[in-house]
Amino acid sequence: MMNVRDRRAAVGGALASALLLGALAGCSSSASTSGSNAAGGSGTVPLVVYSAQGYDSAVTKAFTKATGIPVSLDDDSTGPLLAKIAAERNNPKWGLLWVDGDTAFASLDKQGQLLDYDPGVALTTAGQSLVPSNHSYSPVSTTAVPALVYNAAKVTAVPSTWQDLLGAQYKGKVGMNDPSQSGPTFPLIAGLMNELGGQTGGIAAGEAYLTKLKANGLQVHPTNGDTLHALETGQIDYGLIQSSAAAGEVATAKKSANFDPKVVYLGTTTLLPAAIGIDKAASSTEQKEAEKFIQYVLSPAGQQVMQTADPTGDSLYWPIVPGLDPVSALGAMPTNYQKIDPYFWGPLENQVNTFFDSSIK
Amino acid sequence: MALSTSLPAAVRVRARSATGWVRTASFALFWLLVAAILLLPILLFLLVAVSPRLFDQGPQWLTLSSFGAAFQGPMLQGIGDTLLVGVVTAVASAAIGFGVAWVVQRTRVPGRRLWSGSMFALLLAPSYLIALGWERLLEPQGVLDLLHVPDSAARTLLYGPVGVISVLTAKGIPFAYLAISAALRGLGEEFESAARVHGGGRAAAARIVLALVAPAIWSALAIVFAESISDFGVASTLANDAHFPVATFELYNAVDNFPVQFPVAAAVGWILLAMAGLALAAQNAALRGRSYRVLGGRTRPARRRELTRPATAGVCSAMAVLVLGCLGVPAFGAVSASLIQGLGTLMGGAAFSLANYREVLSSPELYQPLLYSIGLALITATATAVLGLTVARLLTSRRGRSSARALDLLLLTAVALPGIVFAAGYIFTYNLPLTNDLGIHLYETTTLLVLCYIATALPPASRVLFGSVGQVQETLREAARVHGSTEAGSWLRVMIPVLARPLLSAWSLTFGATVLELPVSQLLYPPNDPTVSVGVEKALANYDYGGGTAMEVLAVLAALAVIGLLWGIFQLAAPAGWRRLGRTT
């Protein structure tokens, strides 16, 4: 039997609990206006977009203006967005994911998290090669990895193959990103492994090549920006990065007698699509809105916003919709390209990154 | 007093009963809040390590395999490195922090206000900014290279354990300074005088002072250790560039890479927690069973010592080197990156330009996050100061030792867990279907972001207050109650004036840290409302170094302006007694 003191404590605790929960519930009602469940108009809900694209804010605003569908945008780097999606596994909040690279989409598809959807839009040959057979996600543009950006003011040697980079004239002068921290770099390495060993050869030939490149003085920096910074400060003369970052550097860097960045492509370049996937757990209303969003992004109006909103950054992509030219600063897409299978290479990401972390970095 | 003499006995009993209810309800509410913002998120996150299935993070209901992954390869090396960094940083920061506190509190060295203010400014400087500042100085084609100063030896040191420990020590010094200076301030001079009167030399007096401020020193060691092992700013910049793996970065890799490995991250979280537990155990073992209550109604501020000219020159030089190294270099790095186009590159033609600042101040997409973050920081700092006072009071209370120990452990755990996984714990907790079914929809709202800010700010804020609150003698409030003051009145009229300055320090610390907080903001910011740190990160990720750094500099300046304004109001408007008690210079 409870004494007076215990009863008082228990009732006090219950009272306090009620107060706190009431306060939290009160918070939720005010907060729900920005949440995914709030109504944004007649028959619409806010479409929750998780995106890592530099032009996403402009595109989502243009989409809302064109369709009247409100968008709740979570604009961040790919890593935190995928971490959020993983943490939300038992109660997903996102409606649409839009990032560079398709290996994460392949993994989400294997986990049954993506809604199959075919936008039915005609694509270029390169674009068609990027479409998964089950339409679990939609490629909407492409860049390439690696683009080799080099300082033409300091060096004259220009490599054309991966093997060239093992030569003495490149010793200690080549830099690349860390796949653990740079989103485009695992596809870059997977593309290298695919080119050298193929799916039957797996990762062995690629690992052997990277080991030789390391022995030739390869420098590893965290991300595109850091590798470009190393190029600008003379720590390296050649950088292996994503094509949009390389083109952005050429377009924005101030040329001088010491610095003149130029870009070439090595061997068979790997296409890196920007893709959109729809959350299978979203409401049917939100899924329909997401489908309209993909249609909009692949339309001339959507592409026009994408190409103008981030002119020295993510806008430097090659369109996969026929009849559209890339931003002039980018130039033509490499003719010798490959498409890697994200369902094969994606599951190897952890293994490859661990190898890179312990043996190459 | 009036209540007890003029009212009938039955009314007095009911009044006491009502007071008891209020106290019990307040106590329960406090613990409920602690459970909601600290205990549950930490517990649920750590549970992922042993039961991934519970949160759809893997197939097993019960497993220890994630610990196996944590104890191998770079992850294991990161754990070893972290232990080394934590211990050395804690000792170095406590020693330097004690020195600075002594100089500011007990000597007449010129520029005390400047040195004291520098400590606050250092608190506001994100650790990654300090690291990047040093990198700008020493990197190839950096400032020293351009000035033709040989720096290869210094560069080798910077890009390694020495550099990492040095930068983290710089960040730890203000924590140690605040904890120890608060204790020194309240100590008065009577204990040293008593030692000298009884024939003790300077060494004996110093031993007594050290013994009496032991809680603050241990508190400083514990908080700096926990802050260092959980730091992410240096881990992701200098340590990463130096290929010197530390646990927080390996943990971040587990969460930030695909496939996301929350169970492994949680296992590393357990290990960080164990390290913080060791620090707490050492603190408790050193302080058990002793009393350190020296701040009372008769406490008089200690006299400041006159230093000889050589001593003054030496102390001033040392302080200048310290402030220059901790603040001057990173400030130069940040300002040069934002103001001088082309510095430190092969492009040449370095020129001054305000273009980046013009861009930030003219674009709503850039300045709105800054205003939003300042608003959030105001709320967080105020709530944290109030809660921090309650926590410090509980931690130093003679009653409820077991609950105080549990609270202390919880707070250190919160510090030891890096922000990104702490935020992940919030997602696990507040995005559960069960939570939603209860009608609580906090995920992706400003409310949840603020609650997580408060949870991460509470440990350092309560540590800052711990030293001062621990020194306040109970007799002060008891005397007020005897003279008719109510429970609340005794706090308002006696405790708040005594603790006004430490409270303001805790508020300033929280405000500054919140304005530029990144890891929590990144996972919990409400869609469409990015914080300034998310905006800076985005700008830097898009190679807009100038714009990103300009936002950073503006955010730091705004934080300094708000804090300066608050201290200015305090100096002008607070009663003289409030200003006198606990004066720092």
Side-chain angles (χ1 to χ4, degrees), chain A residues 118-183:
Chain A
D118 180 1
V121 176
L123 300 176
T124 61
T125 308
Q128 288 168 21
S129 74
L130 298 169
V131 178
S133 58
N134 63 354
H135 297 282
S136 57
Y137 58 88
S138 301
V140 296
S141 62
T142 191
T143 55
V145 282
L148 187 130
V149 57
Y150 66 100
N151 183 359
K154 280 185 71 181
V155 294
T156 53
V158 182
S160 58
T161 67
W162 285 104
Q163 294 305 319
D164 286 349
L165 288 179
L166 300 178
Q169 66 269 45
Y170 301 104
K171 191 171 181 63
K173 294 181 175 180
V174 180
M176 69 179 289
N177 304 343
D178 177 358
S180 296
Q181 297 168 70
S182 161

Side-chain angles (χ1 to χ4, degrees), chain A residues 315-340:
Chain A
S315 292
L316 294 165
Y317 67 86
W318 288 288
I320 58 172
V321 182
L324 292 176
D325 292 326
V327 175
S328 58
L330 181 58
M333 194 171 90
T335 50
N336 192 12
Y337 63 81
Q338 65 173 343
K339 159 76 173 70
I340 60 168

Side-chain angles (χ1 to χ4, degrees), chain A residues 149-155 173 227-239 249 252-262, chain B residues 136 139-143 145-146 148 340-351:
Chain A
V149 57
Y150 66 100
N151 183 359
K154 280 185 71 181
V155 294
K173 294 181 175 180
T227 300
L228 287 171
H229 182 68
L231 187 77
E232 289 180 4
T233 54
Q235 298 172 58
I236 57 173
D237 292 326
Y238 302 87
E249 177 71 0
T252 57
K254 186 179 170 187
K255 314 291 189 295
S256 72
N258 292 321
F259 193 68
D260 182 16
K262 291 189 185 305
Chain B
R136 291 289 170 274
E139 71 188 358
Q141 292 298 318
V143 176
D145 267 0
L146 291 180
H148 306 294
I340 306 173
Q341 307 284 328
L343 180 74
T345 73
L346 298 171
M347 298 178 196

Side-chain angles (χ1 to χ4, degrees), chain A residues 40-67:
Chain A
S42 177
T44 64
V45 296
L47 171 62
V48 180
V49 175
Y50 283 13
S51 170
Q53 305 295 358
Y55 41 64
D56 50 27
S57 178
V59 173
T60 51
K61 281 176 187 162
F63 170 72
T64 299
K65 194 174 176 185
T67 63

Side-chain angles (χ1 to χ4, degrees), chain A residues 50 86 88 91 181 232-233, chain B residues 57 141 240 346 431 436 443:
Chain A
Y50 283 13
E88 291 174 9
N91 193 19
Q181 297 168 70
E232 289 180 4
T233 54
Chain B
Q57 300 300 321
Q141 292 298 318
N240 184 41
L346 298 171
N431 192 41
N436 289 178
Y443 180 48

Side-chain angles (χ1 to χ4, degrees), chain B residues 196 200-210:
Chain B
R196 301 301 293 271
R202 285 188 176 179
R207 275 201 305 276
I208 287 175
V209 169
L210 280 174

Side-chain angles (χ1 to χ4, degrees), chain B residues 306-507:
Chain B
E306 288 289 352
L307 295 176
T308 61
R309 280 192 178 179
T312 301
V315 167
C316 283
S317 303
M319 292 299 293
V321 167
L322 184 67
V323 172
L324 196 69
C326 296
L327 279 173
V329 172
F332 174 78
V335 172
S336 63
S338 66
L339 208 57
I340 306 173
Q341 307 284 328
L343 180 74
T345 73
L346 298 171
M347 298 178 196
F352 284 96
S353 167
L354 289 171
N356 294 320
Y357 289 93
R358 274 197 293 273
E359 184 192 346
V360 171
L361 292 171
S362 62
S363 164
E365 287 187 352
L366 294 178
Y367 70 70
Q368 274 173 356
L370 179 57
L371 296 176
Y372 180 59
S373 288
I374 287 174
L376 297 183
L378 285 171
I379 298 167
T380 304
T382 307
T384 305
V386 174
L387 270 177
L389 182 61
T390 313
V391 168
R393 177 81 180 155
L394 281 172
L395 292 181
T396 54
S397 170
R398 287 178 186 280
R399 287 175 295 181
R401 295 308 303 163
S402 55
S403 61
R405 271 199 296 275
L407 183 61
D408 206 8
L409 182 64
L410 196 58
L411 292 169
L412 264 185
T413 306
V415 177
L417 287 179
I420 192 159
V421 292
F422 203 73
Y426 264 65
I427 298 179
F428 289 139
T429 308
Y430 290 100
N431 192 41
L432 282 176
L434 174 68
T435 316
N436 289 178
D437 291 344
L438 286 171
I440 299 172
H441 302 287
L442 287 174
Y443 180 48
E444 295 195 319
T445 67
T446 302
T447 308
L448 194 68
L449 180 60
V450 169
L451 286 177
C452 197
Y453 279 163
I454 293 171
T456 51
L458 193 55
S462 53
R463 288 279 152 185
V464 166
L465 290 166
F466 179 84
S468 301
V469 173
Q471 288 179 324
V472 178
Q473 291 174 350
E474 272 301 309
T475 51
L476 284 176
R477 275 188 64 233
E478 285 164 3
R481 297 298 303 275
V482 165
H483 287 83
S485 187
T486 59
E487 178 90 16
S490 68
W491 269 96
L492 284 174
R493 287 177 203 148
V494 178
M495 300 296 276
I496 298 299
V498 172
L499 296 169
R501 277 181 179 275
L503 274 171
L504 217 50
S505 299
W507 191 97

